[in-house]
Amino acid sequence: MTSRTTWPVVRVLRDRDAGLCLSGVVVSGFGTSALWLASGVWVKDLTGSDGLAALCVLALWLPVLAGPWLGTLADRVRRKPLLICVNLLLGALLLALVAVDAPGDLWLLYAVLFVYGAAGVVHDAAESALVATAVDPSLLGDFNGLRMTANEGMKLLAPTAGAGLYATYGGASVALLDAATFVLTTGVYAVLRVREEKPAPPTGSRRGRTAEGARHLWAHPVLRPLVLAGGATMLCAGLNGAMLYAVVDDLGRSPAYAGVLYAVQGAGSVAVGLLSGTALRHLGERRFAAFGIALLALAVALRAVPSDAVALACGAAIGAGLPAVLIATLTSVQRETPDALLGRVTATANTLVYAPNVVGLAAGAALVELVSHRPVLVALGVVLLVTAALLVQNPARAERTVSRSPSDANPA
């Protein structure tokens, strides 16, 4: 059997460094997903406040806005030692949560979560850059798809495990579990066989170096439409997510039914992650992303139909369609960005793609109280279809443009 026809899981795991990187994603993702749920429950138990519990998510997500600046750290030093240091720092930091046992201690929990989120931005940027070095370029699409599969799989398993651990032993036990996963991940990165050159000394002002990632994205004819489409898609996904409980109410189900829809959506994401490497090779990044967005558009619009069967099918389709643009964008960033810029470009792309999701969730939470969810879902479907159409519009022109020198697109 040739390498082109080998099952993607086998192709990635057969590569030692790719398999190790994927193992690190699985282990650290399990701890992060467990802590994400437990922290909110922890605050809710201590204070009885839904608003204070929601601040846990805000503390974790807020540092994403500083992605372009935090990403510069991943370009200043070698990525493997940086990842080891970040994992050890997070493992030690989480030990401080053992002291949280009263409402007056919540400032410590929020502070740890904020630093956790900031370190996560640096970690993701450095990891993406290291993967681009450690993993064979022909495996990047498969790896990023399996990474999505692993992350979604952890979201299905880890919250349940974290909730059970929290219920039995309390929040500190979940923090200790997460700390242990970072120690294990440190060991995984330590045995990677990757050779990295020492980065060149920085030149220019700090602001100029930070802006280089954004300039690269904006000037690149392949990356720019993917990042813009990713941001628009995640904005719509946030608005769609805020409509979930309205959809559940329309079905005449209890709020707990949302867990069923989440599980079906996760299963769809797991499936597309397994197939994305093959799809990227056959379709290319832009068409793969566009087909995923189009599938998402149809699924979001059809959620307006009050039917259990339709809701379950749409959940699976949303899970399959949404990750396509995320996988395509990350893979393109890794392939189209010089190594010296990869940390900044990855972090900037993540900010531009994921920050709109938070905006969409907040806007949707207000909108769902004012209007019926059905016309909103149909409108979101139309916007997503337009986004998909724009992404595939005249791709040949983009392919011709990318062959030009980067200095032609950005003389500065």
Side-chain angles (χ1 to χ4, degrees):
M1 183 178 292
T2 66
S3 61
R4 287 181 63 86
T5 58
T6 303
W7 183 242
V9 175
V10 178
R11 295 188 69 225
V12 172
L13 296 182
R14 187 178 291 170
D15 183 282
R16 178 183 180 275
D17 288 335
L20 285 171
C21 289
L22 188 61
S23 299
V25 170
V26 170
V27 174
S28 63
F30 182 90
T32 298
S33 295
L35 182 67
W36 172 78
L37 174 65
S39 61
V41 178
W42 199 352
V43 172
K44 174 71 173 177
D45 280 348
L46 288 175
T47 66
S49 170
D50 292 331
L52 291 176
L55 285 180
C56 293
V57 178
L58 179 63
L60 281 169
W61 273 95
L62 195 59
V64 172
L65 299 177
W69 179 75
L70 292 171
T72 61
L73 299 177
D75 291 331
R76 294 288 302 275
V77 297
R78 286 191 286 263
R79 280 70 179 251
K80 176 181 170 179
L82 176 60
L83 283 168
I84 290 173
C85 290
V86 169
N87 278 281
L88 289 175
L89 169 66
L90 288 172
L93 182 69
L94 287 165
L95 298 179
L97 296 183
V98 174
V100 177
D101 61 1
D105 301 324
L106 288 184
W107 68 268
L108 178 59
L109 175 60
Y110 292 132
V112 168
L113 291 176
F114 181 80
V115 176
Y116 191 109
V121 174
V122 178
H123 183 282
D124 288 349
E127 182 187 65
S128 176
L130 185 68
V131 164
T133 302
V135 177
D136 188 275
S138 66
L139 290 176
L140 282 176
D142 293 319
F143 179 89
N144 290 327
L146 291 175
R147 176 180 178 173
M148 179 66 67
T149 294
N151 282 333
E152 293 302 318
M154 289 306 99
K155 289 177 184 177
L156 293 175
L157 299 176
T160 302
L165 189 63
Y166 174 85
T168 306
Y169 299 106
S173 64
V174 183
L176 292 175
L177 170 66
D178 199 11
T181 64
F182 281 115
V183 173
L184 290 175
T185 306
T186 299
V188 170
Y189 287 126
V191 297
L192 276 177
R193 297 171 184 170
V194 58
R195 298 181 62 183
E196 297 182 277
E197 298 294 332
K198 185 177 181 179
T203 59
S205 66
R206 179 178 299 179
R207 178 179 297 179
R209 294 194 302 272
T210 300
E212 282 184 291
R215 286 201 296 267
H216 178 79
L217 284 174
W218 187 253
H220 203 290
V222 172
L223 298 181
R224 180 172 62 191
L226 279 171
V227 170
L228 292 176
T233 300
M234 292 301 287
L235 175 65
C236 292
L239 287 161
N240 170 66
M243 304 290 149
L244 175 63
Y245 289 101
V247 170
V248 171
D249 286 341
D250 206 22
L251 295 173
R253 297 282 189 168
S254 70
Y257 192 70
V260 177
L261 298 181
Y262 271 128
V264 172
Q265 181 173 328
S269 296
V270 168
V272 78
L274 293 172
L275 300 173
S276 61
T278 301
L280 282 169
R281 281 189 289 275
H282 284 84
L283 299 173
E285 284 87 353
R286 288 179 64 142
R287 284 194 295 170
F288 175 58
F291 287 161
I293 296 171
L295 177 61
L296 176 65
L298 294 175
V300 168
L302 287 174
R303 289 181 86 184
V305 178
S307 162
D308 281 346
V310 173
L312 291 171
C314 289
I318 289 170
L322 180 58
V325 69
L326 306 178
I327 295 170
T329 300
L330 177 58
T331 303
S332 291
V333 165
Q334 290 170 324
R335 288 176 173 168
E336 302 287 343
T337 305
D339 182 71
L341 286 174
L342 194 46
R344 281 164 285 181
V345 173
T346 298
T348 302
N350 285 343
T351 297
L352 294 174
V353 170
Y354 289 105
N357 183 247
V358 181
V359 177
L361 283 168
L367 192 61
V368 75
E369 298 292 337
L370 302 175
V371 298
S372 170
H373 67 285
R374 292 183 183 180
V376 174
L377 291 173
V378 173
L380 288 175
V382 172
V383 172
L384 286 166
L385 279 176
V386 172
T387 301
L390 291 175
L391 189 57
V392 294
Q393 187 176 19
N394 201 11
R397 179 181 177 184
E399 292 171 2
R400 290 194 300 269
T401 307
V402 77
S403 65
R404 297 168 55 195
S405 166
S407 61
D408 294 336
N410 183 20

